[in-house]
Amino acid sequence: MSVQEITLDDLNVEKFIETQVKEIKEAVGDDIAINALSGGVDSAVVTMLAYKAIGDNLKTYFIENGLMREGEPEQIVGWFKNLGVTVEIVDAKDKFFAALKGVTDPEEKREQGITQVFYKDVFADLVKQSGAKVLLQGTNFTDCEETAAGVKRQHNVFEQIGIDPQETFGYKVLEPIVQLRKPAVRAVARAVGLPGEISERPPFPGPALCARVIGEVTPDKIATVRKATVILDDELADVGAFQYMAILHDDMVTGLRDGGRDYGHQIEVRCWESTDAVTATPTELPFGTLRKLADRITTEVPGIVSVTYNVAAKPPNCMEAV
Amino acid sequence: MSVQEITLDDLNVEKFIETQVKEIKEAVGDDIAINALSGGVDSAVVTMLAYKAIGDNLKTYFIENGLMREGEPEQIVGWFKNLGVTVEIVDAKDKFFAALKGVTDPEEKREQGITQVFYKDVFADLVKQSGAKVLLQGTNFTDCEETAAGVKRQHNVFEQIGIDPQETFGYKVLEPIVQLRKPAVRAVARAVGLPGEISERPPFPGPALCARVIGEVTPDKIATVRKATVILDDELADVGAFQYMAILHDDMVTGLRDGGRDYGHQIEVRCWESTDAVTATPTELPFGTLRKLADRITTEVPGIVSVTYNVAAKPPNCMEAV
């Protein structure tokens, strides 16, 4: 791997920002650059670096894929409006759900349901319409490393998956934070003025709630796992974990409602302690918190009769199930 | 329901034993009676009551269905040998696995894979060969109640499921402990001289490990959940829980081995606090115990990359997943 890491210890935040702003300015020139915000800290930092570099020559889009958390598109747009950055919401829900229909394999979900639709069906059109020559991406050092190791195919690492963006899509790709792991990205996030809600936000990957559904992804299943995710945000936001998530299982389990049998699904809760996502251990949540999560989820989320908490470390576990 | 409960408070153990022994003696007369031991406390108590009543006119069988825990048939036979009771092991593994092939619905598993094979293919033959006129069963009060409520179809309650044993199979059924819930059954177990390993044994239902596999049951999956069950027995036997279990999920999740991606299965651990199985809450196991279980299971059980602990109460959860 030719990319060199800048560790948190070695990072000079102000100098890093200055260098990246300069490089973006030079690469874009008087052209238009385009980027997509996912709502996570990585793409948020890239947006701020690019906005500092080229101002209104940056077109930032939030692709509403139908897989986002409750109220997420509006919230993101609001945060950036406060920072002077205009973010345009693009409604592409139907395209994503059509591509995800019948797909159960996790790799296929990411590749056909997310990557291909995102780039070929949605983003390529935006690039053409906007007249942009440069695409900015929030690829970080851990993404590169895991993709190189074959652990997973990141949805945002063109070169690693053998696609030449210049040839395939006709534009140039910049990855300003590719040398940083998450703690360093957060340090830059604070320095570029992003609010704490973004700079300290637990990771939430590009495929969003799609990666939180085992088996075929449908609008109903996304609605179910979205409701469970709201409950986790209520109960776990203050725990200070690296990341937490609700996962909807495909397996059915026996439940009991109103004195009779009720087959239903299970929500699995994961909450991770980690510094860089390479290794992780489950957070020792108070048992009362786990019981409260279970009571709320089985009461408030239709179709859910059972709740588990993941207690295995990465490796051999992974942080995401899908 | 016409059966009247005898509560633990109302139970006079010595008088109960005397009454049941007398009733069995009268019902069997000089005939042969037959019963099947599952390894649980219910069928063990019935065996001892019947042995006290009719001695060697009782034929007790242990049906090896291939779904039992590690070393279980030999262990059971050994315990009863020490009590003077001869138990014959009947190898019926192939019949059970043939009937379970391709069956994924939990009700069908119990009905076609267990109940039908047990009674029609295996037990009916034993009754004919033995010349028995009376069948003794370990149905308890909670079984009756749950079957009547439609929560689940117990594998051992003929009448509740509309089968007339006299007409269908040609023999008479006695259910000596049908008025007792589990704590009362355990009190009787101690009084009839059963060792603590049996009298205090957490419940393990008739369908055995079959009820611990979500989806199709195969010899490989049974071997997997059997290995996980041995680890739970090591780590949880001294916790004093009402019941605990390892469940093999059908869903696949992403894991990580030797730096590369490894798709695998998940084992769900359940451990219950309950007095009568009608309601139950998850045991507050120390986090270190949960982590140790996860480390051992992901290390020692091939194909398992992830481990969860169930944290939802019954209802709306059930104690068993299948």
Side-chain angles (χ1 to χ4, degrees):
Chain A
M1 202 159 49
S2 60
V3 177
Q4 283 287 319
E5 181 184 0
I6 304 172
T7 65
L8 184 58
D9 282 350
D10 289 344
L11 178 70
N12 178 326
V13 174
E14 294 309 322
K15 201 182 150 214
F16 177 84
I17 293 171
E18 193 186 306
T19 307
Q20 294 305 324
V21 166
K22 191 170 162 239
E23 284 189 10
I24 295 169
K25 203 177 280 182
E26 284 173 9
V28 180
D30 293 328
D31 288 331
I32 299 289
I34 188 173
N35 80 316
L37 256 181
S38 72
V41 65
D42 296 336
S43 62
V45 165
V46 168
T47 301
M48 290 311 294
L49 292 172
Y51 181 72
K52 279 178 188 292
I54 59 172
D56 289 341
N57 279 4
L58 175 71
K59 302 289 175 206
T60 297
Y61 295 98
F62 184 92
I63 313 294
E64 164 56 297
N65 57 14
L67 308 169
M68 298 288 161
R69 286 171 287 185
E70 189 80 28
E72 182 141 24
E74 301 71 22
Q75 198 176 37
I76 302 289
V77 171
W79 282 330
F80 279 89
K81 198 176 173 189
N82 292 340
L83 293 162
V85 184
T86 303
V87 177
E88 193 178 321
I89 298 181
V90 179
D91 183 353
K93 288 195 286 285
D94 293 349
K95 285 183 183 169
F96 282 91
F97 281 121
L100 287 165
K101 201 170 152 68
V103 181
T104 57
D105 179 78
E107 266 304 273
E108 260 184 70
K109 273 191 214 172
R110 285 175 191 266
E111 179 59 22
Q112 301 193 13
I114 309 290
T115 309
Q116 293 300 320
V117 175
F118 185 90
Y119 290 112
K120 293 199 173 155
D121 295 352
V122 182
F123 209 63
D125 280 353
L126 292 175
V127 176
K128 279 175 213 149
Q129 286 166 26
S130 68
K133 292 279 178 286
V134 176
L135 166 61
L136 290 141
Q137 291 215 124
T139 321
N140 67 30
F141 192 75
T142 307
D143 293 337
C144 278
E145 215 173 34
E146 294 209 331
T147 305
V151 177
K152 61 182 172 188
R153 176 178 293 184
Q154 281 296 332
H155 62 285
N156 57 354
V157 187
F158 278 124
E159 293 182 20
Q160 303 281 0
I161 60 178
I163 297 174
D164 178 341
Q166 192 91 43
E167 193 182 295
T168 312
F169 301 109
Y171 45 85
K172 186 174 172 187
V173 174
L174 292 184
E175 297 178 325
I177 58 166
V178 74
Q179 294 173 278
L180 309 183
R181 291 187 197 267
K182 206 63 104 184
V185 176
R186 295 198 192 283
V188 177
R190 288 172 214 123
V192 293
L194 285 164
E197 290 94 332
I198 297 182
S199 66
E200 313 313 317
R201 200 172 214 199
F204 204 88
L209 296 176
C210 182
R212 304 293 159 77
V213 172
I214 296 179
E216 186 189 8
V217 174
T218 66
D220 279 355
K221 288 183 183 175
I222 291 293
T224 298
V225 80
R226 181 179 285 133
K227 284 198 183 80
T229 302
V230 170
I231 297 171
L232 264 66
D233 282 335
D234 273 4
E235 304 294 337
L236 301 182
D238 296 336
V239 167
F242 181 78
Q243 188 180 19
Y244 54 80
M245 63 189 77
I247 297 158
L248 175 61
H249 281 229
D250 199 29
D251 284 340
M252 296 201 80
V253 293
T254 307
L256 189 66
R257 296 259 188 209
D258 307 321
R261 187 166 66 172
D262 179 25
Y263 263 127
H265 285 282
Q266 193 172 70
I267 288 282
E268 176 189 344
V269 175
R270 297 183 177 198
C271 185
W272 298 113
E273 300 300 310
S274 178
T275 53
D276 56 11
V278 174
T279 63
T281 51
T283 304
E284 186 175 346
L285 293 175
F287 200 70
T289 302
L290 292 171
R291 291 285 301 110
K292 187 174 180 196
L293 279 170
D295 284 346
R296 285 197 60 188
I297 291 170
T298 55
T299 306
E300 298 173 29
V301 185
I304 304 301
V305 297
S306 178
V307 175
T308 62
Y309 184 60
N310 199 302
V311 291
K314 174 183 182 181
N317 209 353
C318 277
M319 295 174 77
E320 300 275 350
V322 175
Chain B
M1 204 158 48
S2 59
V3 178
Q4 283 287 320
E5 181 184 1
I6 303 173
T7 65
L8 184 58
D9 282 350
D10 289 344
L11 178 69
N12 178 326
V13 175
E14 295 310 322
K15 201 183 148 216
F16 177 84
I17 294 170
E18 192 185 307
T19 306
Q20 294 305 324
V21 166
K22 189 168 163 243
E23 284 189 8
I24 294 168
K25 203 176 281 182
E26 284 174 8
V28 180
D30 292 328
D31 289 331
I32 299 288
I34 187 172
N35 80 316
L37 256 181
S38 73
V41 65
D42 296 336
S43 62
V45 164
V46 168
T47 301
M48 291 310 294
L49 291 172
Y51 181 71
K52 280 177 187 292
I54 58 173
D56 289 341
N57 279 3
L58 175 71
K59 304 286 173 208
T60 297
Y61 295 97
F62 185 91
I63 314 294
E64 164 57 297
N65 57 16
L67 308 168
M68 298 288 161
R69 285 171 288 185
E70 190 79 28
E72 183 142 25
E74 301 74 20
Q75 199 175 37
I76 301 288
V77 171
W79 282 330
F80 279 88
K81 197 175 173 189
N82 292 340
L83 293 163
V85 184
T86 303
V87 177
E88 191 178 321
I89 298 182
V90 179
D91 184 353
K93 289 196 284 286
D94 293 348
K95 285 182 184 169
F96 282 92
F97 281 122
L100 287 165
K101 200 170 151 67
V103 180
T104 57
D105 180 78
E107 267 304 272
E108 262 184 70
K109 275 192 213 170
R110 286 175 191 266
E111 180 57 22
Q112 302 193 14
I114 309 290
T115 308
Q116 294 300 320
V117 176
F118 185 89
Y119 290 112
K120 294 199 173 156
D121 296 352
V122 182
F123 209 62
D125 280 353
L126 291 175
V127 175
K128 279 175 215 149
Q129 287 166 26
S130 68
K133 291 280 179 285
V134 176
L135 164 63
L136 289 141
Q137 291 216 124
T139 320
N140 67 29
F141 192 75
T142 307
D143 294 337
C144 277
E145 215 174 35
E146 294 208 331
T147 305
V151 176
K152 62 182 173 189
R153 176 178 294 185
Q154 281 295 333
H155 63 286
N156 58 354
V157 187
F158 279 126
E159 293 183 22
Q160 302 281 2
I161 59 178
I163 298 174
D164 177 340
Q166 192 90 42
E167 192 182 297
T168 314
F169 302 109
Y171 45 85
K172 187 172 170 187
V173 174
L174 292 184
E175 298 179 323
I177 59 166
V178 73
Q179 294 174 279
L180 308 183
R181 289 188 200 269
K182 205 64 107 187
V185 177
R186 295 198 191 285
V188 176
R190 288 172 214 124
V192 292
L194 284 164
E197 290 94 333
I198 297 182
S199 67
E200 311 315 315
R201 199 173 214 198
F204 205 87
L209 296 174
C210 182
R212 304 293 159 78
V213 171
I214 295 179
E216 186 188 9
V217 174
T218 65
D220 280 356
K221 288 184 182 174
I222 291 292
T224 298
V225 80
R226 182 179 284 133
K227 283 197 183 80
T229 302
V230 170
I231 297 171
L232 263 67
D233 282 335
D234 272 5
E235 304 294 338
L236 300 182
D238 295 337
V239 167
F242 180 79
Q243 187 179 19
Y244 55 79
M245 62 190 78
I247 297 158
L248 175 61
H249 281 229
D250 198 30
D251 284 340
M252 297 202 78
V253 294
T254 307
L256 189 66
R257 296 259 188 210
D258 307 321
R261 189 167 62 174
D262 179 25
Y263 263 126
H265 285 281
Q266 194 171 69
I267 287 282
E268 176 188 344
V269 175
R270 297 183 177 198
C271 186
W272 298 113
E273 299 301 310
S274 178
T275 53
D276 55 9
V278 174
T279 62
T281 51
T283 303
E284 185 174 346
L285 292 175
F287 200 69
T289 302
L290 292 171
R291 291 284 302 109
K292 188 173 180 198
L293 279 170
D295 285 346
R296 286 196 60 188
I297 291 170
T298 55
T299 306
E300 298 172 30
V301 185
I304 303 301
V305 297
S306 177
V307 176
T308 61
Y309 184 60
N310 200 302
V311 291
K314 173 184 183 181
N317 210 354
C318 276
M319 295 174 78
E320 301 275 350
V322 175

